[in-house]
Amino acid sequence: SSLRPADELARLGGDEFAIMIPSLESRAELEVLASRLVEAVVKPYEIDGYQIRTSISIGIAIGPDDGNSADDLLIAADLALYAVKAGGRGSYKFYQSSMSKEFNERRQIEIDLREAIERNELELYYQPIVDLRRKVITGFEALVRWHHPVNGVVAPVTFIPVAEDSGLILPLGEWVLAEACRSAAKWPNDFKIAVNLSPVQFSDPNLLSTIERMLAETDLAPNRLELEITERIFMDSGEVTLTTLRRLKQLGIRISMDDFGTGYSSLSYLRSFPFDKIKVDRIFVSDLGEGTEHMVIVQAVVSIANALGMTATAEGVETDEQRQILVGLGCDEAQGYLFGCPVPIAEVSEVIDKWATVKTLAA
């Protein structure tokens, strides 16, 4: 109903569609059409009494500038669509030549990452998590690092999205879990190991059996493994996710909600599932002490965690002032450069010894 009689609508497959516009007078005409499509699709509708909302992402290519053939125009439109999705979805973009360069760069990252996984060129670093009251380490968070032979250190923010889009996150995530469990099993004092899980990993039907196998192979007690998830996991398949989380809890594994407060429905998920830990996102910690509303937010999160019997952990703590405020607010744990930066496995024992010395001196 949003299209004109001469416009051609086709389904390419799955949830991908194409609209072919035979003629147009201006670029503005396409912008009007794209905006009309976005507004039409975003309107809520009901199915069996449930209100459903969805969105649409649109990539636009115009011939002959963006391509002389149907294939070239589809590729250009697809690159523009990819740019929309990377930027948050629910909008539209016109193709630009720079998008081809970005696509080629991402493609090269995918190729190099696949080889890095096969050649075991990735490495785990471990950042300490500290009990703010007792001033002792309670565990470490495992963080993957990639030292590219040509480009040097590649940031996780660069290669993790590529891994998720390409499906490489499954072998990468399995390696991270295995390596983290293997390392933690050798640590003293029952230190816990925290590992991030992506929504793609949660869609893997072998996730539970894989984790069970890793715990058995490394002889790591289930309660020493802490899996960190974000609310993105619930957005993909809420009920299936809850079932998986409950089965993980039955194994004795701890479940933590990462980046709490940055999404729109975090509170509803706390009602749906008994998390063991809530992690206060670093954006709320960064300006504590400056009299901002973030202190109120952190206080609220800590209070919710305490009321529900969950541990509250603050991320990104960098100053002693932030530490003191968090202690005053009743926050249980913290991690950040103030307590220690991520270190390779060879330096973990040194970090443990250092904190043991601090505890002895404090006593």
Side-chain angles (χ1 to χ4, degrees), residues 184-241:
K186 302 174 184 177
W187 296 340
N189 302 330
D190 293 333
F191 287 131
K192 295 179 175 60
I193 182 68
V195 179
N196 292 277
L197 285 188
S198 82
V200 179
Q201 288 174 275
F202 252 77
S203 66
D204 180 12
N206 299 317
L207 177 64
L208 283 164
S209 60
T210 297
I211 293 176
E212 286 182 294
R213 173 172 53 81
M214 289 176 182
L215 291 174
E217 290 177 354
T218 61
D219 200 28
L220 181 72
N223 66 339
R224 294 181 61 192
L225 175 60
E226 193 169 89
L227 299 178
E228 296 187 2
I229 66 171
T230 65
E231 70 173 50
R232 274 183 58 206
I233 288 177
F234 291 94
M235 294 178 184
D236 292 338
S237 183
E239 194 55 45
V240 174
T241 295

Side-chain angles (χ1 to χ4, degrees), residues 230-297:
T230 65
E231 70 173 50
R232 274 183 58 206
I233 288 177
F234 291 94
M235 294 178 184
D236 292 338
S237 183
E239 194 55 45
V240 174
T241 295
L242 286 173
T243 300
T244 302
L245 288 174
R246 291 187 183 108
R247 292 181 64 184
L248 288 169
K249 284 273 284 187
Q250 289 171 359
L251 293 176
I253 295 169
R254 292 169 56 84
I255 307 296
S256 170
M257 175 173 272
D258 199 8
D259 301 338
F260 183 82
T262 58
Y264 68 91
S265 52
S266 298
L267 286 173
S268 67
Y269 299 135
L270 293 186
R271 185 181 62 181
S272 304
F273 182 77
F275 288 90
D276 296 287
K277 178 185 289 188
I278 301 173
K279 300 194 75 174
V280 184
D281 192 80
R282 64 184 65 247
I283 64 171
F284 301 123
V285 176
S286 61
D287 62 351
L288 280 178
E290 297 180 10
T292 68
E293 68 278 5
H294 284 183
M295 185 179 295
V296 177
I297 294 174

